[in-house]
Amino acid sequence: MLIGLSGGICAGKHAVAEYLIQHQGFRLLELKNNGVSHTARDPRLQHINLTINQDSRLEFDTAESLLDFATKRWQEHWVTTHSWNVATLDRFLQRPFFLLVSVDAPVSLRWKRFAERCEKNQLEAPHLEEFVLWNDKQLYEKNVGRAVLTDRAQLRLFNSSSSLDELHAALKALNLADEQRLRPNWDQYFMELASLAAQRSNCMKRRVGCVLVRERRVISTGYNGTPRHLQNCNEGGCPRCNRGEGGGVGLSTCLCLHAEENALLEAGRERIREGSILYCDTCPCLTCTVKIAQVGISEVVYSQGYNMDKDSAAILEAAGIRLRQFSPPRNGLIYLEDPEGK
C-alpha cells in the first residue's frame, strides 16, 4: 500500500505522515528533487517540520523509479508527501495499491500554525495577507498546483485538530491503512452500481437505483421512472409526482415504476432463482417488497431508510428473506476529530 499525502501549507500532511510512520509501520518514499515551486524559495517555507529518521526514509531520483519500487513491494506500507504533476499522478492512480489523501485546514488556523513554526525556527512570521498569497499560488499554480491533487483525492481530511494527541486519536479511529479503501468489497461495488443507476432516474419525487446480483454477477439493473414509451416523469409524464404530493399520498395514481420493479421485470423469474441478492440505495416499499418475496430473492441490501422500513422488514422476514443495511467505509470529506470528544 502506498499512501500519497497532499495538502496546503501547515495543513498537517507531514503530521499525518509522521503518525503513519511512528504508529502504523509505514516508511517514507520521496524524490531527491521534491519539485519545489517558486513560492517555496522563501526560506520560511523550507522549514518543513518533518522529523523522520533516515532508517524510515528512502529517496529516489525519479517518480518512475519510486513507483517501480512501490509496485514490486506493494504489500508493504509506504507513504509519500511529494507533490505530483497531473501526468505523473495519473500513472500512480492507475495502480491498485495507491491511495491519494488530501489534508486541509482553515487558512486562519494554518497561518497560526505557520507563525508558531517560524517562531520556533527564529524566523519572522508572515502577515496573514502574505500567507494567503502563498497559499493561493501553491494551490492554483498552473500544472503543479495542489488543487488538482485535492480534486482527485479518494479521501479528503479536514484537520482542525488543536493538538497532535487529538490528531493521532482521530487517525487511529479512521485507520487509513484499511486496505478496503483500495478496492471496494462486493457490497460496496454493487451498491455503487445501484447509486449510478439512480442517476438515470427521471422521477420527480426521488431518485432510486437497483441492481440484481447472483453469484457476484449482475443480472439486471433498474431505476425508477415512467414505463417505456410514456413521457418521462420529469417531463410531466406522471401527474401524481409532478403535483408534489407528500410521501404515501396518491400512490394508486402514480405511473412511475420503482427501481426494484424495473430490475425484476428486466431479469425475469427464470433468471433470478435462489441465492440472488437485490441491492437498492433505498429500502423497498411494500409494493416492491411483496414482488421481491414472490420471485425468490434471498437477500435485500439497502443503504437509505424509507418510511415503510418496519412493514417491509416484517414481510421479508416472513418470506425468509434476509434484510440488512449497508454501511460503507468512511470516504470523501472527513473531519478529523477526537472520537472520544476529549
Side-chain angles (χ1 to χ4, degrees):
M1 181 181 202
L2 171 61
I3 294 180
L5 293 170
S6 171
I9 305 166
C10 282
K13 70 172 184 177
H14 295 105
V16 175
E18 288 185 332
Y19 170 82
L20 291 173
I21 292 166
Q22 295 170 5
H23 297 278
Q24 295 197 338
F26 279 72
R27 295 184 68 188
L28 182 69
L29 304 182
E30 288 288 65
L31 297 184
K32 293 178 181 178
N33 175 14
N34 200 26
V36 177
S37 69
H38 296 294
T39 308
R41 289 177 180 172
D42 190 298
R44 291 171 292 183
L45 284 163
Q46 296 177 23
H47 282 270
I48 299 173
N49 202 13
L50 188 62
T51 56
I52 305 299
N53 63 54
Q54 196 59 42
D55 291 339
S56 297
R57 182 197 303 258
L58 294 174
E59 290 187 333
F60 299 84
D61 292 320
T62 65
E64 288 73 19
S65 60
L66 188 156
L67 182 59
D68 183 61
F69 174 86
T71 301
K72 293 175 180 177
R73 302 177 66 174
W74 65 271
Q75 291 179 308
E76 299 174 52
H77 285 175
W78 311 101
V79 61
T80 181
T81 59
H82 185 77
S83 297
W84 315 108
N85 60 37
V86 175
T88 303
L89 177 62
D90 284 339
R91 292 200 294 275
F92 275 70
L93 288 171
Q94 289 172 354
R95 303 301 168 98
F97 56 82
F98 181 68
L99 179 70
L100 180 61
V101 179
S102 71
V103 187
D104 202 359
V107 174
S108 58
L109 177 57
R110 293 195 284 115
W111 173 58
K112 180 181 178 182
R113 291 171 180 168
F114 189 80
E116 292 172 351
R117 192 171 78 185
C118 286
E119 182 179 352
K120 181 179 179 181
N121 290 285
Q122 299 182 333
L123 295 168
E124 182 182 355
H127 295 295
L128 177 59
E129 182 179 359
E130 184 181 11
F131 183 82
V132 170
L133 291 174
W134 285 349
N135 179 71
D136 287 349
K137 187 172 180 62
Q138 185 197 53
L139 283 177
Y140 303 114
E141 188 173 5
K142 189 175 181 180
N143 298 324
V144 295
R146 296 185 182 181
V148 175
L149 278 69
T150 301
D151 185 59
R152 304 287 296 277
Q154 296 106 309
L155 201 60
R156 302 191 303 278
L157 307 181
F158 189 78
N159 174 30
S160 58
S161 305
S162 58
S163 68
L164 283 177
D165 287 342
E166 183 180 339
L167 175 63
H168 289 179
L171 290 171
K172 181 179 179 180
L174 183 61
N175 188 17
L176 285 174
D178 185 352
E179 294 191 356
Q180 287 192 42
R181 299 185 187 282
L182 298 174
R183 189 183 186 210
N185 59 29
W186 288 110
D187 274 357
Q188 187 177 357
Y189 174 65
F190 292 125
M191 195 61 76
E192 287 183 4
L193 291 180
S195 297
L196 180 61
Q199 298 306 303
R200 284 287 303 163
S201 169
N202 62 68
C203 181
M204 291 296 292
K205 295 291 291 183
R206 177 196 294 260
R207 282 180 166 179
V208 182
C210 179
V211 173
L212 266 174
V213 175
R214 188 180 69 245
E215 297 176 354
R216 295 177 177 174
R217 296 291 184 271
V218 175
I219 303 173
S220 66
T221 63
Y223 54 86
N224 57 328
T226 48
R228 188 178 301 174
H229 304 308
L230 270 67
Q231 190 174 28
N232 286 339
C233 180
N234 61 348
E235 296 171 342
C238 177
R240 182 259 175 185
C241 288
N242 282 269
R243 284 195 298 267
E245 295 176 346
V249 177
L251 292 178
S252 62
T253 65
C254 183
L255 301 182
C256 288
L257 287 167
H258 290 192
E260 301 94 321
E261 292 176 310
N262 271 322
L264 294 173
L265 288 168
E266 180 68 24
R269 177 69 177 86
E270 68 282 357
R271 293 177 60 201
I272 296 175
R273 303 202 302 269
E274 291 294 326
S276 296
I277 302 175
L278 185 145
Y279 287 89
C280 192
D281 57 5
T282 303
C283 187
C285 69
L286 283 175
T287 302
C288 290
T289 299
V290 295
K291 296 173 182 176
I292 290 168
Q294 177 67 12
V295 297
I297 299 289
S298 297
E299 185 175 13
V300 173
V301 185
Y302 71 98
S303 59
Q304 301 175 41
Y306 190 51
N307 58 14
M308 301 179 186
D309 289 6
K310 292 183 179 180
D311 296 329
S312 297
I315 291 174
L316 292 173
E317 182 180 8
I321 299 171
R322 183 185 180 195
L323 174 68
R324 60 185 173 89
Q325 187 168 12
F326 169 68
S327 298
R330 295 175 68 193
N331 215 333
L333 178 62
I334 296 176
Y335 286 78
L336 292 179
E337 299 173 336
D338 187 340
E340 298 180 3
K342 295 180 180 178

